[in-house]
């Protein structure tokens, strides 16, 4: 491509840059880089002040001529994986540079010591390259530096500190971030590195080869919120003053050879995530801080020779999610108490000396394999004595809405908002997070929202954001793929790509509060996707290389062709099962859905062991429900309609459509369906703890105390609010009852069974006239009489459900209806509202639990005779939330509540508004003027 330049003072430099790249940006054409639309160039007074070209597929090297852009303030060439060779030392002449961001390229050689001349530099990110050699001490000269990231390179040697003749990193008193993980740094951590004048927030030295002991000086840096020294060769004692750093939220010292007593963490009350596993600590007994660090979500202390009885209070910390204490000497009786956190996700106590378990039913993952408890005759069959398969990944993918029959061209992807296009794809690595329950999709939904807002705020045309396969990787980073879909066009242009990339490379994107700092690597957005017309001709050096390239090309072509074919076959398969449907509607053949999979009869037969009796988990008039495992490992519940109770094709299709349209954490989600060989089957996510009815009746063995009941009621109410007020179209469930409220691992409610549900049209009537269906005892009397169905019919059923939860009685027992019973007995002037005879002893033995009276009031309101007198479900949700507050619960915590946000507790969180980045209005915005 031709480049015409006429500005003599800069054209030599730009020309040299472009010359050294294999493929300079297409838009770098014309005579005035400042005046026309040159991608990635920002000028001020005809001087180039910003170059941002991240993610544009640049290859080649970085020309040392860059030094001839002396007004440059920011340079970002991140995510150009083919950009290689050394970082030119001449960059050290760009003394106005504030931001140098070269993330995820292939730069090799040393970090040039000349970077130490960039005295205005505040942000230096060189992570994820192939840099070697040691960290130059000259970086100590960068007194304005706040962010130093050299993670994920091949750097070696010691961490430099100052001496009489040398500069060192201890001089970086304004720096908040030392991100040095994933290198080969060696030697001891110099005590001089830390002192009380520093403002460090994060010291992340994980996965290096550091040895020696942890210097006690680290206790002088009171601003620290995160320390990661795990995966090194550190030895010696943990300094006893570490607990001076009371603002610390993350402490990772695992996988070293630390010795001496277990550190005394008393007073570290902000500590949220603690991992001391796999060291060589002295034998010890349970330490007092075990029962006092009440902010913990995660405690990991494996192979640490700790003995004694695990304090019950550890399980009662409101945010605790993971307790991993494998291979210690804990003994006596394990008592989780009755008030353990509803967020508890994993308690792994393998290979300890625990004799007894003081709580019979424990719904989450508790592992006691290798304890005396499991060797005793009666307990050997206990479900806690087997080790469940380990999994670090969730299968979470942002759900796709109901997209009709859209089939995208094979090289494009379908966005969550039903558009086919070429997404920008990248991977984010969170260097730490404050949670460990990575199954909780709440976190990812918050991320999706944050990202959508980011693009909106920065006016980047993004249609939607999709999050894929979050998992904890081998470095103990949370790794997530992001897909960003263009809005209103097939592909992003180079300007969009550079903007999006820059939002991540310079950490403009502020991750939500439970996520720590991250780095991001963009996948190349290829020329085809950028819509480039000119194809680069590969230069083939020598016959051998040429042959290799050619055969590779052939292989790639074959793979591509096979993939195309597979996709085509899949598309045909997908539409076939519906071809035979006898649909009265004239429109399309396949159900209007996206998300649930079509599954063959054979597949489901296999996954349920030929519908084996031992896999049966439910039965009713409609047929039977089986537990099974799909080929991808996902556990499912298969509802198989029996002959005679099959719905018509239209009804079956309508149920699938309804289910695929609704997505809410308190609704059971549909995984797939089968309409094959004369069968009708619906395949749901497997909800492990059975129905609310089974818990209330004592059948499932899960003991629901008052707080847990409130939590279940709130979940079910939220699901109904979603169906009534947020789903499009609005939906009446029509069969709310305790059999249809299922309980997941964390005893979250999941509303199921949409067999009777009805969409309510938008014709302003607010009701539909329909044949009366439902379950006796829960049925709205007004609907029964008028056949007019509204959302308020569900509210009535929900009221009955609330009464059922208080009494643990079926709605009609011995011919008497619970609503009439309660109304007759109620006396607000008495304890328990006069309901002693009726109340389930588990929640109130004579004394009413907090909020009981209001709960009864709410139930009575919901079962008003006249539908107009009943509250809306959103009002019900609000009232249950109020009741929970009375009961000392956090209704917004969810099963992973975080009442305080990470930001508010960190004071100087890097991305909070008081951050030191001295620019506003978006990444490298042109508002930055050189001073
Ligand atoms: C642990 O630290 C606390 C607070 O600094 C102190 O009061 C306590 O005595 C220490 N415990 C031990 C066993 O050293």
């Amino acid at each position: 491509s031709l480049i015409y330049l006429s500005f003599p003072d800069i054209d030599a430099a730009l020309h040299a840059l472009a010359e050294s790249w294999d493929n300079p940006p297409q838009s770098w054409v014309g005579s005035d880089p400042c005046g026309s639309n040159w991608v990635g160039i920002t000028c001020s007074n005809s001087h180039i002040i910003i170059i941002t070209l991240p993610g544009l597929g640049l290859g080649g090297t970085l020309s040392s001529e860059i030094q001839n852009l002396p007004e440059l303030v920011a340079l970002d060439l991140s995510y150009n994986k083919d950009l290689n060779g050394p970082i030119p030392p001449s960059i050290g002449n760009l003394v106005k540079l504030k931001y140098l961001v070269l993330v995820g390229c292939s730069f090799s050689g040393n970090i040039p010591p000349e970077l130490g001349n960039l005295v205005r530099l505040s942000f230096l990110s060189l992570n994820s390259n192939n840099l070697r050699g040691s960290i130059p001490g000259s970086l100590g000269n960068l007194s304005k530096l706040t962010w130093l990231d050299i993670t994920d390179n091949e750097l070696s040697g010691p961490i430099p500190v100052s001496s009489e003749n040398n500069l060192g990193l201890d001089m970086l008193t304004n720096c908040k971030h030392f991100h040095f993980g994933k290198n080969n740094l060696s030697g001891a951590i110099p005590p001089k590195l830390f002192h009380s004048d520093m403002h460090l927030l994060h010291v992340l030295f994980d996965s290096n080869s550091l040895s020696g002991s942890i210097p006690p000086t680290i206790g002088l840096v009171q601003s620290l919120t995160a320390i990661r020294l795990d995966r090194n060769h550190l030895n010696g004692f943990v300094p006893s003053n570490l607990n001076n750093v009371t603002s610390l939220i993350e402490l990772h010292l695992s996988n070293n050879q630390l010795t001496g007593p277990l550190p005394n963490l008393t007073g570290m009350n902000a500590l949220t995530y603690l991992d001391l596993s796999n060291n060589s600590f002295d034998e010890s007994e349970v330490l007092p801080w075990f029962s006092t660090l009440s902010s913990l979500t995660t405690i990991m202390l494996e192979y640490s020779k700790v003995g004694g009885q695990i304090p019950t209070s550890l399980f009662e910390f409101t945010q605790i999610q993971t307790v991993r204490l494998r291979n210690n000497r804990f003994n006596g009786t394990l008592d989780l108490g009755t008030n353990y956190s509803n967020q508890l996700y994993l308690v792994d106590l393998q290979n300890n000396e625990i004799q007894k378990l003081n709580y019979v039913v424990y719904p989450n993952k508790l592992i006691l394999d290798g304890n005396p408890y499991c060797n005793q005759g009666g307990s050997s069959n206990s479900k806690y004595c087997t080790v469940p398969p380990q999994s670090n990944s969730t299968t979470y993918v942002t759900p796709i809405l109901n997209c009709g029959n859209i089939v995208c061209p094979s090289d494009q992807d379908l966005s969550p908002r039903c558009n086919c296009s070429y997404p920008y794809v990248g991977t984010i690595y969170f260097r730490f997070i404050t949670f460990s329950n990575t199954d909780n999709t709440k976190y990812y939904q918050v991320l999706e929202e944050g990202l959508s807002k980011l693009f909106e705020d920065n006016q980047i045309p993004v249609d939607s954001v999709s999050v894929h396969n979050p998992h904890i990787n081998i470095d103990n980073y949370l790794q997530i793929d992001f897909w960003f879909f263009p809005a209103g066009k097939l592909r992003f242009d180079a300007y969009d790509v550079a903007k999006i990339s820059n939002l991540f490379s310079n950490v403009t994107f502020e991750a939500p509060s439970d996520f720590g700092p991250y780095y991001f690597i963009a996948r190349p957005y290829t020329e085809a996707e950028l819509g480039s017309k000119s194809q680069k001709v590969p230069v083939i050096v020598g016959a051998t290389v040429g042959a290799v390239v050619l055969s590779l090309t052939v292989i790639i072509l074959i793979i591509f062709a096979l993939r195309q074919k597979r996709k085509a076959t899949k598309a045909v398969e997908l539409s076939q099962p519906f071809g035979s449907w006898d649909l009265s509607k004239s429109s399309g053949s396949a159900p209007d859905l996206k998300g649930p999979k079509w599954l063959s009869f054979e597949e489901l037969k296999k996954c349920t062991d030929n519908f084996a009796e031992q896999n049966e988990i439910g039965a009713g008039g409609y047929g039977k429900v089986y537990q099974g495992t799909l080929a991808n490992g996902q556990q499912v519940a298969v509802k198989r309609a029996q002959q005679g109770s099959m719905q018509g094709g239209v009804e079956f299709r309508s149920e699938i459509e309804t289910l695929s349209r609704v997505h809410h954490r308190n609704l059971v989600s549909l995984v797939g369906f089968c309409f094959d060989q004369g069968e009708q089957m619906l395949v749901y996510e497997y909800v492990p703890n059975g129905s609310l009815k089974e818990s209330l009746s004592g059948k499932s063995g899960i003991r629901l105390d008052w707080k847990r009941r409130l939590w279940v009621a709130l979940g079910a109410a939220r699901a109904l609010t979603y169906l009534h007020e947020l789903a499009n179209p609005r939906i009446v469930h029509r069969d709310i009852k305790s059999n249809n409220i299922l309980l997941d691992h964390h005893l979250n409610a999941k509303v199921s069974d949409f067999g009777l549900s009805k969409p309510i049209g938008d014709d302003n009537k607010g009701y539909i006239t329909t044949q009366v269906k439902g379950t006796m005892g829960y049925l709205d009397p007004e609907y029964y009489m008028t056949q007019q169905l509204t959302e308020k019919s569900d509210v009535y059923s929900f009221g009955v459900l609330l009464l059922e939860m208080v009494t643990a009685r079926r709605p009609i027992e011995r011919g008497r209806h619970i609503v009439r019973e309660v109304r007759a007995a109620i006396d607000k002037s008495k304890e328990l509202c006069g309901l002693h005879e009726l109340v389930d002893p588990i929640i109130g033995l004579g004394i009413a639990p907090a909020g009981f009276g209001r709960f009864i009031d709410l139930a009575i309101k919901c079962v008003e005779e006249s539908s107009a007198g009943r509250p809306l479900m959103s009002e019900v949700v609000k009232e249950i939330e109020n009741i929970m507050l009375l009961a000392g619960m956090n209704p917004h915590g969810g099963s992973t509540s975080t009442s305080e946000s990470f930001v508010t507790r960190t004071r100087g969180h890097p991305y909070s508004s008081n951050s030191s980045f001295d620019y506003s209005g978006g990444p490298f915005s042109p508002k930055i003027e050189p001073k």
Side-chain angles (χ1 to χ4, degrees):
S1 59
L2 290 172
I3 297 172
Y4 303 100
L5 293 163
S6 67
F7 273 73
D9 59 330
I10 51 176
D11 70 351
L14 279 188
H15 197 257
L17 280 185
E19 281 283 279
S20 65
W21 291 331
D22 299 341
N23 44 350
Q26 301 273 316
S27 63
W28 281 24
V29 183
S31 58
D32 179 5
C34 293
S36 55
N37 286 327
W38 284 40
V39 68
I41 302 277
T42 305
C43 297
S44 169
N45 301 328
S46 300
H47 293 300
I48 294 180
I49 56 165
I50 298 171
I51 297 182
T52 49
L53 297 168
L56 293 182
L58 301 180
T61 59
L62 179 55
S63 166
S64 65
E65 293 299 311
I66 189 138
Q67 65 175 324
N68 292 323
L69 299 169
E71 301 295 328
L72 208 58
V73 177
L75 175 64
D76 181 359
L77 300 175
S78 301
Y79 318 140
N80 290 303
K81 195 67 194 163
D82 295 328
L83 212 49
N84 52 42
I87 298 173
S90 66
I91 283 190
N93 295 329
L94 299 172
V95 291
K96 295 196 172 166
L97 213 54
K98 288 185 180 173
Y99 309 93
L100 179 56
V101 191
L102 305 174
V103 177
C105 301
S106 297
F107 287 111
S108 55
N110 294 343
I111 298 177
E114 290 80 359
L115 295 188
N117 297 332
L118 303 174
V119 289
R120 294 201 188 163
L121 206 62
S122 81
F123 189 94
L124 176 59
S125 264
L126 303 176
N127 60 285
S128 305
N129 281 286
N130 307 324
L131 297 170
R132 287 171 172 273
S134 51
I135 305 173
S138 62
L139 298 185
N141 201 31
L142 306 176
S143 61
K144 297 230 162 77
L145 204 64
T146 60
W147 178 283
L148 175 56
D149 194 342
I150 51 177
T151 309
D152 191 19
N153 278 292
E154 293 155 37
L155 298 165
S156 55
I159 297 172
V161 286
S162 61
S163 62
E164 216 176 319
N165 302 314
N166 295 304
L167 306 174
L169 303 189
D170 53 307
M171 300 163 68
L172 298 176
T173 51
N174 286 313
C175 200
K176 297 186 172 179
H177 301 272
F178 278 174
H179 297 171
F180 300 175
K182 284 174 58 102
N183 279 292
N184 293 318
L185 300 173
S186 60
I189 302 172
K192 194 167 183 188
L193 186 60
F194 304 113
H195 49 86
S196 57
D197 291 336
M198 300 204 89
H199 294 92
L200 282 168
L201 296 174
H202 300 160
V203 168
L204 310 180
F205 294 173
D206 49 289
S207 297
N208 276 288
S209 302
L210 297 166
S211 55
S213 54
I214 301 172
T217 48
I218 201 164
L220 300 173
V221 188
Q222 301 272 320
S223 50
L224 279 172
T225 61
I227 296 177
R228 276 198 69 172
L229 302 179
D230 50 301
R231 296 161 168 80
N232 277 290
H233 309 306
L234 298 168
N235 52 40
F237 287 24
V238 177
S240 61
N241 65 348
L242 191 64
N243 65 356
N244 284 352
V245 191
T246 50
S247 51
L248 206 64
I249 289 169
E250 296 267 333
L251 179 59
H252 301 240
L253 301 179
S254 57
N255 300 298
N256 280 293
Q257 287 120 40
L258 297 166
T259 56
L262 263 192
N264 178 1
L265 305 181
T266 307
M268 302 186 79
N269 293 329
L271 206 57
T272 302
Y273 194 114
L274 172 66
D275 190 355
L276 301 176
S277 302
N278 299 311
N279 279 292
S280 307
F281 293 120
D282 293 347
E283 283 203 5
S284 70
E285 295 303 299
V286 169
L287 298 175
W289 53 259
F290 253 69
S291 47
T292 60
L293 302 181
S294 61
S295 297
L296 284 179
T297 66
T298 308
I299 176 166
M300 303 207 192
L301 198 58
E302 303 182 339
Y303 294 90
S304 297
K305 297 187 226 157
V306 193
Q309 175 122 7
I310 304 173
T312 302
S313 51
L314 181 60
F315 305 101
E316 294 175 346
F317 295 160
T318 52
Q319 309 186 61
I320 193 86
Q321 297 175 358
T322 299
V323 176
R324 284 176 75 150
L325 305 173
R326 274 192 307 174
N327 295 72
N328 282 291
R329 300 180 297 112
F330 291 109
N331 55 25
T333 300
L334 177 66
D335 188 356
L336 301 170
T338 50
N339 252 336
Y340 58 80
S341 165
N342 62 12
Q343 301 196 53
L344 209 48
Y345 165 69
L346 172 66
V347 178
D348 186 350
L349 293 169
Q350 284 176 67
N351 305 324
N352 276 283
E353 290 158 25
I354 290 164
Q355 303 280 350
K356 266 184 72 187
L357 179 59
N358 207 10
Y359 195 58
V360 206
V361 182
Y362 176 56
N364 302 312
K365 280 185 261 174
L366 167 63
I367 315 177
L368 291 173
D369 185 50
N371 283 274
Y373 167 79
C374 288
N375 299 332
Q376 295 151 8
S379 322
S380 59
N381 296 327
S382 162
K383 62 174 170 170
Y384 309 124
C385 291
T386 51
V387 183
Q390 280 257 336
S391 150
N392 277 337
S393 60
T394 68
T395 46
Y396 181 77
V397 176
T398 302
I400 291 189
L401 292 174
N402 167 35
C403 290
N405 300 331
I406 297 176
V407 177
C408 292
S410 60
D411 56 342
Q412 296 175 27
D413 288 289
L414 188 64
S415 83
R417 289 202 199 153
C418 309
N419 294 312
C420 294
S421 59
Y422 298 94
Y424 172 118
V425 179
T427 306
I428 198 161
Y429 301 83
F430 290 102
R431 301 172 218 247
F432 59 78
I433 47 181
T434 65
F435 57 94
S436 45
N437 178 358
T438 48
D439 284 347
N440 190 326
T441 56
K442 176 193 90 170
Y443 296 109
Y444 312 121
Q445 284 153 8
V446 172
L447 259 187
E448 286 159 17
E449 285 160 23
L451 287 163
S452 299
K453 182 158 185 311
L454 171 80
F455 295 124
E456 214 177 291
D457 291 349
N458 288 284
Q459 295 169 6
I460 296 173
V462 171
D463 157 86
S464 46
V465 168
S466 175
V467 164
H468 287 243
N469 302 326
H471 64 280
I472 301 291
N473 72 16
I474 190 164
D475 302 309
N476 202 24
Y477 297 172
L478 174 63
Q479 181 176 337
I480 307 179
D481 290 340
F482 289 159
W483 297 26
F484 307 133
F485 291 88
K489 50 187 175 185
L490 263 186
R491 45 173 70 91
F492 290 113
D493 60 31
Y495 303 93
D496 301 330
V497 169
K499 265 195 195 167
I500 296 173
S501 304
N502 184 241
L503 291 174
F504 296 95
S505 60
N506 84 342
V507 278
T508 302
F509 170 56
E510 293 182 17
S513 58
D514 288 306
F515 297 85
Y518 62 83
Y519 66 91
F520 178 87
I521 302 291
R523 228 174 269 174
Y525 200 72
T526 64
E527 285 188 45
E529 285 156 350
L530 282 171
S532 145
K533 270 149 258 140
S534 79
Q535 287 295 313
K536 262 196 83 71
V537 181
V539 181
I540 298 170
V541 185
T544 326
V545 178
V548 170
V549 170
L550 274 178
S551 50
L552 269 179
T553 314
V554 170
I555 290 169
I556 289 166
L557 280 176
I558 290 171
I559 291 173
F560 184 70
L562 284 176
R563 226 182 88 197
Q564 297 294 91
K565 190 167 163 220
R566 238 191 351 253
K567 278 198 176 180
T569 325
K570 231 166 65 189
V572 171
E573 268 174 13
L574 204 72
S575 57
Q576 258 171 3
F578 313 108
S580 59
W581 283 29
D582 175 26
L583 299 174
S584 47
K585 284 183 197 162
S586 58
S587 67
S589 53
D592 199 15
L593 62 93
K594 175 72 201 179
K597 286 193 289 260
W598 177 79
L599 296 159
S600 71
F601 177 74
E602 289 306 321
E603 214 168 337
L604 292 179
K605 187 172 157 189
K606 193 166 155 220
C607 103
T608 57
D609 256 337
N610 195 14
F611 305 102
E613 211 171 304
Q614 70 266 20
N615 289 331
E616 205 179 298
I617 50 174
Y622 53 85
K624 289 178 173 169
V625 183
Y626 300 88
Q627 187 184 352
T629 308
L630 295 180
N632 65 6
Q634 183 177 12
Q635 288 218 313
V636 291
V638 181
K639 182 176 156 189
R640 184 188 192 192
Q642 66 190 11
Q643 295 299 330
S645 79
M646 295 223 191
Q647 316 176 60
V650 176
E651 285 82 11
F652 187 57
R653 170 179 148 149
S654 126
E655 182 171 4
I656 295 170
E657 283 182 359
T658 305
L659 278 164
S660 55
R661 206 180 287 132
V662 296
H663 299 280
H664 187 274
R665 56 186 298 196
N666 295 111
L667 292 175
V668 169
S669 60
L670 185 68
V671 175
F673 58 92
C674 170
F675 188 74
D676 191 14
Q677 303 190 16
E679 298 264 354
Q680 286 181 357
M681 289 187 264
L682 292 174
V683 182
Y684 300 94
E685 67 172 310
Y686 176 63
V687 184
N689 278 320
S691 71
L692 174 61
K693 183 173 182 176
E694 288 166 341
S695 288
L696 291 176
S697 67
K699 188 173 160 216
S700 73
I702 289 171
R703 188 170 180 275
L704 288 178
D705 60 16
W706 175 240
K707 288 185 177 179
R708 293 209 177 101
R709 283 182 208 204
L710 289 177
W711 182 245
V712 171
L714 180 66
R718 281 179 173 162
L720 281 174
T721 306
Y722 168 83
L723 292 175
H724 292 177
E725 299 172 26
L726 299 170
N728 182 20
R730 295 172 297 133
I731 291 168
V732 179
H733 185 282
R734 230 175 18 148
D735 203 12
I736 288 297
K737 55 180 175 181
S738 55
N739 310 38
N740 285 342
I741 311 292
L742 305 183
L743 302 177
D744 76 1
H745 272 298
H746 307 278
L747 301 183
N748 292 311
K750 295 260 188 185
V751 174
S752 75
D753 203 338
F754 287 72
L756 297 182
S757 63
K758 279 272 178 201
I760 300 240
D762 279 332
D763 55 4
N764 291 331
K765 254 187 336 202
Y767 65 87
I768 47 171
T769 305
T770 175
Q771 194 188 345
V772 174
K773 282 189 180 164
T775 301
M776 287 318 277
Y778 296 93
L779 204 56
D780 167 14
E782 194 176 279
Y783 167 47
Y784 186 75
M785 288 187 302
T786 63
Q787 303 194 7
Q788 288 178 356
L789 178 71
T790 70
E791 291 98 328
K792 294 292 181 70
S793 302
D794 279 349
V795 177
Y796 183 91
S797 309
F798 188 79
V800 175
L801 184 82
L802 293 182
L803 293 177
E804 205 180 341
M805 292 176 81
V806 169
T807 60
R809 289 192 182 197
R810 280 173 288 143
I812 300 177
E813 251 184 48
R814 279 172 260 121
R816 285 186 299 201
H817 193 210
I818 182 102
V819 173
R820 202 174 307 157
E821 295 262 295
V822 170
R823 278 213 189 106
I826 203 162
D827 180 349
K828 296 283 288 183
S829 66
K830 293 189 180 150
E831 184 66 29
L832 273 176
C833 305
L835 300 174
H836 293 267
E837 306 263 295
L838 292 166
V839 170
D840 184 2
I842 292 178
I843 60 168
L845 269 173
I847 298 167
F852 181 82
R854 284 178 71 163
F855 192 87
I856 294 292
D857 288 345
L858 177 65
I860 294 294
K861 266 224 171 78
C862 289
V863 295
E864 279 274 333
E865 291 291 328
S866 126
S867 65
R870 299 172 205 153
L872 293 171
M873 279 316 296
S874 52
E875 293 165 341
V876 174
V877 165
K878 279 206 195 89
E879 180 61 6
I880 298 175
E881 286 174 353
N882 289 334
I883 294 168
M884 290 174 82
L885 291 174
L886 289 177
M889 300 168 71
N890 172 11
H892 300 289
S895 70
T896 54
S897 87
T898 43
S899 47
E900 292 172 280
S901 85
F902 187 64
V903 173
T904 54
R905 277 182 293 138
T906 49
R907 295 198 305 250
H909 188 268
Y911 315 129
S912 62
S913 51
N914 62 355
S915 91
S916 62
F917 297 163
D918 46 357
Y919 56 82
S920 55
F924 298 163
S925 94
K927 279 177 207 154
I928 312 165
E929 289 291 330
K931 296 209 172 99

